[in-house]
Structures are given as C-alpha cells and as structure tokens.
C-alpha cells in the first residue's frame, strides 16, 4: 500500500522536474543553432526553428513535448542530427548501466567484508587495517585514482587497456576507479552497523544459547547490521550514475554523462530534458527498490 | 589516575585529543590556510624580484614539462608554469569554494531544520518530505544544468548593470550557491532531530512561560544548543564540497582558466597522459595535496564528532 502511494506520488514529481528543466534550458541565452557553420542565414535559422517547433510559444512546445512523451517519444536531438533522443539513450544507457552496476558490485563486494571484519576483530590489526583502508578510500576521488591507475597499470606495466569501451578488459580500470571510492564508505557504514548490533541483547541471548560465534554474528547480527548499508544504496546508486561522468571523460567511454554535459553546454534542449528525466526516473525507481529491500530485511521497519 | 575534568568543554577537549589524528589534522589545515592566505600577499610585496617571478602561477616560460626539481618543486606544466605555484593558488580557490559553500549549506540547513523541528505537525511533515524528495534526486545534475544555463543569464544581467568586474567571478558565485544549495539536506535532518529533543526541555518551557516568542526561543535557546552538532557536520561538509567542486572543474564546468582549482589542475594533468612520455607529476602533485586535505578534514570531523559525542543516524 505504502509503495503504491510512493509510485503515485512520483508522477507529479517527474512532471515538475520535466517542467522545470524544460523552461530552464530555454531561459538560457543562446540557442542550439548558434554554433552552426557560419554564416547561417536568417532564413536557414528560421526554417530550423520551424522544423523543431522552437518558434512556437514555450507553453505550446511543452504541451507538444508532453504529448510525445505520453507515447514514449522524447523527440529529436537538436545537435546530433538524424538521431532521436531515444536513439542516444538506447546507445548510451547500457554502457552507463554496466559501468555503474559493476562498480556497485565492487563497492559492496569489497566494502562489506572489510567493514564486517574490522567490527568483529575490533581493536586488532584487522580493525586498524580495515579502518585505514576505509578512510583512505573515502579521500581518494575517482578522478585522482583513475589517472593514477592509467599511469601505473596501463602505461607503465602495459597490463590493461587505458581507454574506450570494447572488451571486458576495458572495463577493469574504470570500474576499479569508480567503485573503490564507494567501498570505503560502505566499509565504514558496515563497521558502525555491526558494532551497534553486537551490543544488542539478542546477540547476548544467542551466545547464551550456546551457538558458535560464527552463527551468532553472521545469522543474527549481519542481517540487521547491513541495513544502514542497504539504505545507503539509494544515494550510492545516484552517486555512481552521476559520478561516472568523470570516469567516462577520463576513459573516453560513450556513456550518458558525456551526452548530458555536452548537451547542456550546446543548448541541446530536447537531449537535456530527456536525460534529466531519465535520471530522475532511474533514481526514483532505485530508491523505491532500496526501501523495499530494507522493509524485507527488518520487519520492524513499517512504512505508514 | 589523572584528575577528571569536570566542565563539558574540558571533557570534549580530552575526547578530541584521544582521536590520534584529529589534532595534527587541525594544525596541518591551519598551516595550509595560512600559506594560502599569505602567499598572494607576499608575492605582491615582493613584486619584480626573482622569487616572485618563480612563484608567479601565471608566468609562462620555455621550460615545459620539467620534472620536480629544486627550482620547480612540483615540476612545470604544458606552458612552463611552475606547478607548485599553481597548486598553491588552486588551493585558495578550492578552499574558498569549500568554506563558502559549506557556509551556504549551513545557513539553509540550520534554518530549515530548526523551523521544521520547532513547528512540528503538518509543516514539519511537509518540509521534511521536501528534503526526502530532494534527497532522491540527482543533485549534481541539477547543478550542472543550472551552471550551464543560468550563467549566461547572469552575465548578460551583470553587463546591463555595468558591473563587468563581477563577470569573472560569476562562475565562482554559481559554485558557491549551487554547491551550497545541494549540500544542506543532511544538515537539515540532523538539526531537526536535535531541535525535536530540545524543544520539550524544561528551559525552553520556562522561556515560553515567560512570554518569549518562537523567534527568540529558536535564536537564543535552541540554535545555540545545536552548535556542537552543526560544527561537526560543517567540518564534514567542507571536504564534500571541495570534492564536488573538483568534480565539476574536472568536467570543465568549474572555475575557468587562467584561474585554477585542484580539480582543473588534475584534469590538465590527465589530459597530458600519453603512452610515449609520462608526466606523472602533473597528476600526482595536485592529486596528493587534494587527498591529503580531504583526509585532514575528515579526521578533524571524526575527532570533533567524538568530542561532542554526536551519533549520526
């Protein structure tokens, strides 16, 4: 019931976002055809404007946009001629999702075990090593780690390709550069969560029942301790999707970020609105999924 | 057994010192700030001398791509500029954006959280719902769209009111406001939590009984009591904003050349990566300084959090 309400609530939100970006990009001085080959005669410019309905009043353009949107059409790109925004998304989205998804897996796969170990071995060397790793990773942003990895593994040792997005080997460096930064945050969350749970009374009870330490911590403790991590996954996915902008620029990966940055610099109205809307839909859906997962893990979480 | 300190301030100080890295971090940051503030002044005073020429971040020379040496501590870049001087001046921009941005987020976050927490009921639910919505949106995308679209608008307005000297700082202004206005969400949530527990305390009731209005109670009794928590989160917001700024500068959306920040310096260095010759210092030097600064801010924030015994949600 709660989730149904959230989905219904998301629709006006998306409408508001589309409205805001739609008008915002048009308020800005300059237009999509400013950087055409000069001299573009006024005739040509007027015809271009007419072709893309840019000569109509803005509210009429917006209604037209909503009409097209209702059957899934985001319109033609104003800068990449002969490509619709749907085409561009169709090409770039799988790339961005793969990069983000792999980095997400790396962040969780590295962060959770490290955080768990440093909590369970609190005060011993595993704790110090784990905590050091976590705080270091939190402070090394992807755009520092990326060039560093390229110089070391790509150029110095000739181990891995340094750019482009073609074979599985091409994914290794970008995924490490993007994912490792977030694994530090996850390790810190996991450690704090686990330390909190280990003081809870039900853990003492489980120990008193004579269960071995492993079962107590993994079966009883972990399940609750991982909840802060799971609820951080929403913002994490948002950060991964947008954080990949710099990774895409360093490794020359043809993902969504490149198109968004270029699109908004070039005043490609339709592309910017389409991409912002796509990001909003993705994030709202992912956040919903994350909340759902939290409710599954901890039955005490009740959404009213 | 040492004599146990009794005032809350003394207890906080002793907890702060127990965090091994917090005090060194604070000292290192203070030194960095001092150097960043003094460097341009000293350079101005020593104008024309040999030293001033060497540390001028905008002086071009033929000595391109010199590796670090005694003459150029961080080497030189593609235009033969001294990288150490560039990193030093970049530090000024990065720290300025971090501090002012954190200030903006502080003001918005504290006011929003305090009003929501103190008002309670419908208004509280509405305001926090708004925060939740913003939280689930890709804020950095919003900043990118805002910067690329509104900057031209601001520039043309500035030209109309004949203030071209503001023109160069238009981008900086956007970074302040843009980054500050997407970074206040956590602050608002935490302040609200604090206010909720403070507003039912006896001293607030007493003040209300004596006829104090809500503005007086908020500004004299409640907000001062949230100060500890607020300082902790400002310390953690500053590195986050520095990181945001470097991110944008890396994409070419932050400060514009010839101005530099750590992000744009790293981007310039990454542009020079090629398989034939490696100019590692172009990435390593600004990168190391950035990482060290972020580390220091985070350690300081952790130490302050222990000192005030703030538990984050």
């Amino acid at each position: 019931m709660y989730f149904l309400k959230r989905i219904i609530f998301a629709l006006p939100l998306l409408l508001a976002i589309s409205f805001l970006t739609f008008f915002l990009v048009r308020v800005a001085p300059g237009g999509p055809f400013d950087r055409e080959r000069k001299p573009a005669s006024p005739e040509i410019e007027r015809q271009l404007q007419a072709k893309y309905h840019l000569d109509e009043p803005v509210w009429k353009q917006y209604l037209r946009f909503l009409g097209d949107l209702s059957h899934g059409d985001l319109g033609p790109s104003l800068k990449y001629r002969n490509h619709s925004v749907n085409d561009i998304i169709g090409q770039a989205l799988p790339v961005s999702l793969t990069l983000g998804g792999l980095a997400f897996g790396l962040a969780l796969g590295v962060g959770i075990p490290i955080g768990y170990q440093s909590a369970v071995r609190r005060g011993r060397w595993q704790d110090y090593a784990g905590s050091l790793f976590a705080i270091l990773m939190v402070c090394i942003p992807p755009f520092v780690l990326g060039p560093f990895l390229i110089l070391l593994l790509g150029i110095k040792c000739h181990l891995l390709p340094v750019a482009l997005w073609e074979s599985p080997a091409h994914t290794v460096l970008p995924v490490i550069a993007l994912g490792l930064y977030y694994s530090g945050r996850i390790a810190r969350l996991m450690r704090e969560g686990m330390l909190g749970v280990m003081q809870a009374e039900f853990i003492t009870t489980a120990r008193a029942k004579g269960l071995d330490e492993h079962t107590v911590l993994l079966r009883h403790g972990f399940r609750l301790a991982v909840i802060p991590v799971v609820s951080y996954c929403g913002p994490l996915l948002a950060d991964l999707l947008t954080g990949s902008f710099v990774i895409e620029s360093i490794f020359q990966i043809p993902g969504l970020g490149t198109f968004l940055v270029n699109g908004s610099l070039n005043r490609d109205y339709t592309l910017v609105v389409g991409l912002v809307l796509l990001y909003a839909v993705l994030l709202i859906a992912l956040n919903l999924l994350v909340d759902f997962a939290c409710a599954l893990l901890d039955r005490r979480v009740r959404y009213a | 057994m040492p004599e146990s300190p009794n005032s809350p301030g003394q207890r906080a100080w002793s907890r702060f010192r127990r965090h091994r890295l917090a005090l060194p971090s604070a000292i290192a940051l203070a030194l960095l700030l001092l150097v960043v503030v003094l460097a341009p002044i000293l350079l101005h005073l020593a104008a024309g001398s040999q030293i001033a020429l060497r540390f001028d971040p905008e002086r071009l020379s033929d000595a391109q791509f010199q590796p670090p040496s005694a003459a150029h501590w961080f080497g030189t870049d593609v235009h033969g500029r001294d990288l150490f001087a560039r990193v030093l001046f970049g530090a000024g921009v990065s720290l300025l954006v971090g501090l002012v941005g954190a200030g903006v987020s502080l003001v918005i976050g504290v006011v929003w959280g305090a009003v929501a927490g103190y008002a309670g009921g419908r208004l509280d639910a509405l305001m926090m719902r708004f925060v939740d919505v913003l939280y689930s949106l890709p804020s950095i995308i919003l900043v990118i769209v805002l910067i690329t679209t509104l900057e031209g608008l601001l520039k043309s307005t500035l030209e109309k009111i004949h203030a071209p000297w503001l023109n160069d700082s238009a981008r900086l202004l956007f970074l302040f406001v843009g980054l500050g206005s997407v970074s206040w969400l956590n602050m608002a949530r935490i302040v609200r939590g604090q206010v909720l527990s403070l507003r039912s305390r006896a001293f607030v009731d007493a003040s209300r009984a004596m006829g104090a209005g809500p503005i007086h109670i908020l500004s004299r009794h409640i907000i001062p009591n949230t100060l500890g928590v607020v300082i902790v989160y400002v310390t953690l917001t500053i590195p986050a904003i520095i990181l945001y700024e470097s991110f944008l500068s890396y994409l070419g959306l932050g400060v514009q050349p010839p101005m530099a920040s750590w992000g744009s310096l790293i981007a310039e260095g990454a542009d020079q990566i090629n398989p034939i010759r490696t100019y590692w210092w172009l990435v390593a030097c600004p990168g190391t300084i950035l990482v060290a600064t972020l580390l220091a801010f985070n350690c300081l924030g952790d130490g302050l959090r222990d000192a005030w015994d703030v538990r984050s949600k």
Side-chain angles (χ1 to χ4, degrees):
Chain A
M1 211 36 230
Y2 168 78
F3 291 102
L4 204 67
K5 234 163 87 185
R6 286 265 306 258
I7 294 172
I8 295 169
F9 187 78
L11 285 175
L13 180 63
L14 288 174
L15 208 62
I17 292 170
S18 76
F19 181 83
L20 270 179
T21 32
F22 196 88
F23 282 90
L24 204 62
V25 288
R26 278 167 175 76
V27 161
F33 310 122
D34 284 359
R35 294 191 196 170
E36 294 290 312
R37 267 169 298 169
K38 298 273 166 182
S41 69
E43 294 295 299
I44 296 175
E45 186 153 348
R46 208 170 307 135
Q47 282 193 6
L48 276 173
Q49 299 257 357
K51 183 181 171 201
Y52 295 109
H53 308 291
L54 291 176
D55 49 350
E56 294 175 354
V58 182
W59 61 269
K60 214 168 164 187
Q61 291 180 40
Y62 184 64
L63 288 183
R64 185 186 297 278
F65 165 78
L66 284 186
D68 288 344
L69 189 63
S70 65
H71 39 89
D73 182 10
L74 288 167
S77 164
L78 302 180
K79 207 70 197 177
Y80 302 90
R81 296 290 162 68
N82 308 324
H83 287 276
S84 70
V85 176
N86 291 36
D87 282 347
I88 293 176
I89 289 176
Q91 270 176 27
L93 183 63
V95 176
S96 285
L97 282 187
T98 316
L99 176 60
L102 288 174
F104 182 68
L106 181 80
L108 291 184
V110 173
I112 289 181
I114 287 183
Y116 178 83
Q117 278 300 321
S118 26
V120 170
R121 308 246 180 264
R122 186 181 192 182
R124 290 193 243 168
W125 69 266
Q126 290 98 328
D127 185 16
Y128 289 116
S131 302
L132 184 72
F133 168 84
I135 193 151
L136 264 181
M137 281 306 128
V138 167
C139 296
I140 303 183
F143 53 82
V144 175
L145 191 60
F148 175 75
L149 288 175
I150 291 181
L151 283 173
L152 190 72
L153 296 178
I155 290 177
K156 199 96 189 155
C157 306
H158 299 287
L159 279 178
L160 290 159
V162 294
L164 303 179
W165 189 255
E166 280 152 6
S167 66
H170 284 87
T171 62
V172 176
L173 289 186
V175 166
I176 294 178
L178 185 57
L180 222 49
Y181 173 71
Y182 297 100
S183 71
R185 282 160 182 260
I186 299 225
R188 297 185 94 183
L189 279 176
M190 188 68 219
R191 179 174 180 270
E192 265 179 45
M194 203 62 205
L195 285 179
V197 166
M198 277 158 69
Q199 290 165 358
E201 284 178 2
F202 70 89
I203 293 287
T204 319
T205 314
R207 282 205 185 110
K209 282 196 302 188
L211 294 176
D212 66 294
E213 192 66 13
H214 202 66
T215 321
V216 171
L217 291 177
L218 265 182
R219 294 278 305 272
H220 295 253
F222 182 76
R223 193 185 154 125
L224 275 183
V226 83
I227 286 176
V229 175
V230 175
S231 51
Y232 172 62
C233 282
L236 169 67
L237 285 162
D239 284 350
L240 280 174
L241 279 177
T242 52
S244 68
F245 289 8
V246 272
I247 294 295
E248 284 170 20
S249 131
I250 295 172
F251 292 94
Q252 312 198 338
I253 297 169
L256 287 175
T258 322
F259 285 106
L260 181 77
V261 174
N262 288 339
S264 50
L265 283 174
N266 290 329
R267 307 267 179 272
D268 193 338
Y269 299 150
T270 44
L271 185 59
V272 172
V273 175
L275 287 182
V276 169
L277 215 55
L278 175 74
Y279 274 113
V281 170
L282 272 178
L283 290 180
I284 290 173
L286 290 171
N287 271 305
L288 214 61
L289 259 175
V290 163
D291 286 351
F292 196 63
C294 276
L296 276 185
L297 274 171
D298 184 358
R299 295 303 163 94
R300 290 176 305 185
V301 177
R302 284 275 172 274
Y303 294 105
Chain B
M1 189 82 190
E3 203 175 317
S4 67
N6 36 23
S7 85
Q10 281 168 330
R11 260 176 307 185
W13 175 241
S14 84
R15 276 198 300 264
F16 180 71
R17 278 196 315 192
R18 211 177 302 152
H19 195 287
R20 251 170 283 167
L21 288 173
L23 200 56
S25 297
I27 295 170
L29 286 174
L31 280 178
L32 176 70
L33 209 61
L34 197 71
V35 171
V36 163
V37 171
L38 282 184
I41 300 174
L42 289 180
L43 208 58
H44 193 71
L45 287 179
S49 72
Q50 208 58 46
I51 295 181
L53 277 180
R54 213 183 88 196
F55 285 111
D56 184 354
E58 283 165 29
R59 197 179 76 103
L60 311 180
S61 75
D62 294 333
Q64 299 170 323
F65 297 126
Q66 297 288 313
S69 64
H72 299 289
W73 296 339
F74 285 0
T76 58
D77 70 355
V78 59
H79 298 301
R81 288 173 291 193
D82 183 59
L83 193 61
F84 178 75
R86 304 247 302 147
V87 169
L88 200 59
F89 279 74
V93 174
S94 287
L95 288 177
L96 188 69
V97 172
L99 291 172
V100 178
V104 172
S105 83
L106 166 90
V107 172
I108 304 178
V110 168
V111 169
W112 194 273
V115 168
Y118 190 76
R122 271 258 165 95
L123 187 62
D124 178 31
L126 194 72
M127 287 173 86
M128 293 328 279
R129 187 69 230 177
F130 185 71
V131 170
D132 288 344
V133 166
L134 286 186
Y135 206 72
S136 69
L137 289 182
S139 47
I140 200 71
I141 294 183
L142 238 55
V143 174
I144 290 176
V145 172
L146 270 178
I147 285 181
T148 49
T149 55
L150 291 188
E151 195 192 12
L153 203 66
L154 182 75
K155 277 198 171 154
S156 57
T157 324
L158 286 177
E159 260 159 37
K160 256 179 230 151
I161 59 169
H162 303 293
W165 51 275
L166 271 174
N167 223 331
D168 294 334
S169 31
R171 188 56 77 85
L172 219 50
L173 213 64
F174 264 106
L175 288 175
F176 293 159
V177 178
L179 294 181
S181 56
V182 296
S183 308
W184 57 274
L185 301 176
N186 272 332
M187 181 72 83
R189 283 183 172 175
I190 285 153
V191 169
R192 171 180 170 267
Q194 291 278 309
V195 171
L196 276 183
S197 75
L198 282 170
R199 71 168 183 180
S200 51
R201 298 274 281 277
F203 65 91
V204 175
D205 283 340
S207 180
R208 199 177 297 130
M210 285 191 285
I215 293 179
H216 176 87
I217 293 178
L218 270 179
S219 61
R220 294 303 294 271
H221 297 294
I222 291 191
I223 290 182
N225 267 305
T226 61
L227 217 58
V229 188
V230 166
I231 289 173
V232 170
Y233 276 89
V234 167
T235 330
L236 294 172
T237 307
I238 294 172
I241 291 186
I242 291 179
L243 207 56
Y244 261 152
E245 187 276 328
S246 313
F247 176 89
L248 288 177
S249 291
Y250 194 98
L251 291 175
L253 300 171
V255 295
Q256 299 295 299
M259 229 195 240
S261 78
W262 287 331
S264 65
L265 288 172
I266 295 171
E268 278 174 29
D271 277 346
Q272 299 296 337
I273 290 180
N274 65 64
I276 301 151
R277 298 220 38 200
T278 50
Y279 307 119
W280 54 269
W281 59 92
L282 290 181
V283 174
C285 294
T288 311
I289 301 291
L290 171 66
V291 169
T293 308
L294 294 178
L295 206 58
F297 269 115
N298 275 309
C299 287
L300 179 64
D302 280 357
L304 288 174
R305 175 158 43 191
D306 289 352
W308 268 288
D309 201 21
V310 182
R311 250 174 283 281
S312 61
K313 285 199 294 180

